[in-house]
Amino acid sequence: MPITIADVAARAKVSKTTVSRVLNGKGELDESTAARVRAVIEELGYVPSARAVNLARGRTRVIGMLVPSLTWPWMGEVLQGAVDVLEAEEYGLLLFTFNRGDDSMRQFAAQVAAKSFDGLLAIEPEGTLSYLVTLHNRGLPMVLIDDRDQIAGGQIPTVGTTNHSGAADAARHLLGIGRHKPLVITGPSRFGCTVQRTDGFSSAFAEAGHPIPDTYVLPGDFTVACGSDGVKQAIAAGLDFDAVFCHNDLSAFGAVQAVQDAGRRVPEDVAVVGFDDIPMAAHHQPALSTVHQPMREMGEAAARTLLAHFEGTALPNRPTVIPATFTARASTQP
């Protein structure tokens, strides 16, 4: 059987509280008593639970992370960035998803109540923002990742990227290769990133003297199917377009397929641009031109912000912004 703190206390003829104080360096103890306890610990080969020691010190050295789902194409990049920073500082990660809706949140809330982690990184699942704001206001250190700062109202520190200027860069690339009639397939209108990407792209075309008609902007939902369906609808409606800008890479994959199924060439007849730069974008046929979101860097920055707070640095009161960059590949350049 494993040696317990009770075994150490019995052999050293002290209380378990005294053993705990020796282990954690807390409280004033007679040096001879402390030496006797340390000798018994060595003699018995007692190894204290790291979790128990950290809890006694008021810290778990565990960070919670709440995400909507692990199926989002770029989620792995965010997680890896956060984990790289946390592991380097000998912190663990406790991961929660929103896959089961209210049941998932009840499980998460139970872990919050149990103080199972020191702070939280979150890509806010829809409908949970007010709860997260409440937790933050009650003292749970927290950093949000992605575009949710648009609705957080500055109440929670955030790490995001430049959706507006990233989309504008995509527009200027298309204008630079002579494409003046783009079709736009958006993301869900309730997302801040959708508004930013639409505005950035449309503004660049308007400034160049080629405003985009409303009929050329089609709603999407970030799926392959919405990209395919949008192109098919545009062709059926007789829209004359020479480019497609999709608000994410998955919908861009669908758009490429629909353009090719219609007998048109990519990029010779229709150039296609996505947004995100998920790993598959570079390996797609043709390789996808896209706006690179610095997802790993965002995960790293969020984790560093939280750990710095534990060392005494105040959480920032303005968003941390890591710029997006445009990457040109074969879907716009023969």
Side-chain angles (χ1 to χ4, degrees), residues 5-6 8-10 12-21 33 36-37:
I5 194 170
V8 174
K13 295 182 172 56
V14 297
S15 68
K16 289 190 291 185
T17 299
T18 297
V19 176
S20 179
R21 287 176 176 171
T33 301
R36 186 168 74 254
V37 171

Side-chain angles (χ1 to χ4, degrees), residues 315-334:
L315 290 171
N317 56 11
R318 62 179 60 185
T320 299
V321 179
I322 304 175
T325 54
F326 184 76
T327 300
R329 298 193 180 103
S331 68
T332 60
Q333 297 180 328

Side-chain angles (χ1 to χ4, degrees), residues 138-159:
R138 288 177 178 172
L140 179 65
M142 186 182 306
V143 179
L144 293 183
I145 303 170
D146 200 18
D147 71 317
R148 301 315 198 265
D149 63 293
Q150 297 303 304
I151 52 176
Q155 297 180 73
I156 304 176
T158 62
V159 175

